[in-house]
Every structure is written in C-alpha cells, then in structure tokens.
Amino acid sequence: MKIIFIDDEPIQHFIIQRMIETYLSYLPSTKYYFDATKVLEFLTENKADSDELPDMIFVDISMDIMTGATFLHKYSKLRGRLSKKIDVYIMSSSIDPSDLALSKKYDFVLDYIIKPLTKVTLRKILEPA
C-alpha cells in the first residue's frame, strides 16, 4: 500500500512517521509532502503509471502554500485522468463546519480525521480487514 501525507507542519510529519514505523512498519511506501502543489505535480507526471500512484492521500486542510480545500478542488479535476482510484482523507485540528463540509462535498473523500492522528485511527484505516 502506498500512502502520501500532505501537511505543512514538520511536527505532524514526525508524529506520523514514528507511528507508522512503530505500529505499521509493514507499509512499503509512505511519502511525506509539505506542499500540496508538489503532490499534484507528482500525480500529473505519473497519471498513467498505477504502480507509482498512491492508494491513499491524507491531506491537511489548513496549509499556507496551497490549502487542503484548493488541493481537493484541483484533485477533483485531475482524478478522472489517473490510472488508479485513490482514497483521500482530510486531516485537521479544526471543527469548523465549513471544513467538515468538505468531507461531504467530494465523493472521493472517505473521512474527516481530527488531528493529531492516533495509532487507533491509522490502524483502523490502514490495516487490512
């Protein structure tokens, strides 16, 4: 399973990396990005190569360079050209109703996860049933 985490806070990357190393070390490929524009570039460059594309993307809503909302909007236009279905999860420390509404706006968003992510949440999503 290939996963991409997008969050502009280094501490969030550290927390997620440590949890994956400790509790989900069998995951073969996890990439971390601070900038959602880089993820869109990666997806566009690899749109025909399903082996390179991730299975899941976790995206923070509140980021400086490109917000999670902007990423979701741009991804919604790109996803039809991708050679693989990618599940998307929103991560946020916000309980703002407009942020929560984003998880309902796009059918490819599977859930809205309140940060910080926990090992229970990650296992529930990432471990095979």
Side-chain angles (χ1 to χ4, degrees), residues 8-47:
D8 63 347
E9 296 178 37
I11 189 67
Q12 294 299 327
H13 287 246
F14 177 78
I15 291 168
I16 294 166
Q17 284 175 320
R18 296 297 285 166
M19 279 196 292
I20 287 176
E21 288 169 5
T22 304
Y23 304 110
L24 300 163
S25 60
Y26 60 86
L27 290 175
S29 178
T30 306
K31 294 181 180 181
Y32 302 88
Y33 290 85
F34 292 101
D35 179 355
T37 59
K38 300 292 186 199
V39 174
L40 290 171
E41 290 169 8
F42 172 80
L43 296 174
T44 300
E45 290 169 7
N46 293 283
K47 65 185 173 200

Side-chain angles (χ1 to χ4, degrees), residues 5 9 11 16 19 32 46 56-57 68 73 88 102 117 120:
F5 284 94
E9 296 178 37
I11 189 67
I16 294 166
M19 279 196 292
Y32 302 88
N46 293 283
M56 292 180 190
I57 297 174
H73 176 73
V88 177
L102 280 172
L117 269 68
V120 172

Side-chain angles (χ1 to χ4, degrees), residues 61-128:
I61 286 298
S62 179
M63 296 184 287
D64 291 331
I65 297 172
M66 176 187 286
T67 67
T70 301
F71 171 82
L72 293 172
H73 176 73
K74 290 180 182 245
Y75 175 77
S76 72
K77 294 180 178 189
L78 172 64
R79 73 186 269 251
R81 294 180 279 148
L82 300 175
S83 62
K84 178 181 190 177
K85 177 185 169 280
I86 301 171
D87 295 329
V88 177
Y89 291 85
I90 295 172
M91 306 180 296
S92 181
S93 54
S94 169
I95 56 169
D96 184 312
S98 64
D99 288 341
L100 292 166
L102 280 172
S103 64
K104 309 286 187 256
K105 181 177 179 179
Y106 299 102
D107 64 346
F108 55 85
V109 174
L110 298 187
D111 203 358
Y112 186 97
I113 303 165
I114 300 295
K115 291 193 313 186
L117 269 68
T118 65
K119 71 178 180 180
V120 172
T121 301
L122 280 175
R123 279 185 163 164
K124 186 174 157 185
I125 293 169
L126 300 174
E127 285 188 340

